[in-house]
């Protein structure tokens, strides 16, 4: 049960990140190079190292690399989000 709760929290943070980026780049049309670079680097790192958060929760997609891309978006949100997630994952194991 704790693992599912943590998974839901992780995906809530991920969705919040996607909404933030969408709002910043498409709605407000305010290009912030730091946010764009963070997003690109997060996705590159996740794809390059095959980091896939959804697969940790036994969620597999038929679309190649979607798990890695979503994980990259989460990585791009910064160390505070990531540290909190990793802390909870390590406590569950």
């Amino acid at each position: 049960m704790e693992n599912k709760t943590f998974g839901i929290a992780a995906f809530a943070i991920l969705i919040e990140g996607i909404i933030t980026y969408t709002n910043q780049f498409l709605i407000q049309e305010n290009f912030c190079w730091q946010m764009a670079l963070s997003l690109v680097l997060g996705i590159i790192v996740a794809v390059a190292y095959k980091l896939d958060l959804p697969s940790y929760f036994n969620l597999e997609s038929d679309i190649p690399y979607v798990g890695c891309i979503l994980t990259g978006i989460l990585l791009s949100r910064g160390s505070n989000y990531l540290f909190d997630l990793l802390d909870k994952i390590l406590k569950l194991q």
Side-chain angles (χ1 to χ4, degrees):
M1 179 64 178
E2 287 181 24
N3 199 15
K4 287 184 181 183
T5 302
F6 176 69
I8 291 169
F11 283 105
I13 292 170
L14 178 60
I15 290 168
E16 183 271 334
I18 293 169
I19 290 170
T20 298
Y21 287 130
T22 301
N23 184 45
Q24 180 75 25
F25 296 128
L26 301 178
I27 307 299
Q28 294 181 3
E29 297 179 358
N30 183 14
F31 184 79
C32 176
W33 70 267
Q34 294 95 336
M35 286 181 79
L37 182 61
S38 175
L39 182 61
V40 170
L41 288 176
I43 292 171
I44 288 172
V45 167
V47 170
Y49 290 98
K50 297 178 179 80
L51 303 175
D52 188 344
L53 181 66
S55 70
Y56 177 80
F57 297 105
N58 296 320
L59 299 171
E60 298 296 327
S61 174
D62 293 333
I63 303 169
Y65 297 103
V66 74
C68 293
I69 292 169
L70 292 173
T71 303
I73 293 169
L74 185 61
L75 289 173
S76 72
R77 296 298 292 154
S79 61
N80 289 339
Y81 286 100
L82 186 58
F83 179 76
D84 290 343
L85 286 174
L86 289 175
D87 186 45
K88 290 185 188 301
I89 288 172
L90 293 175
K91 286 181 182 177
L92 292 175
Q93 292 179 346

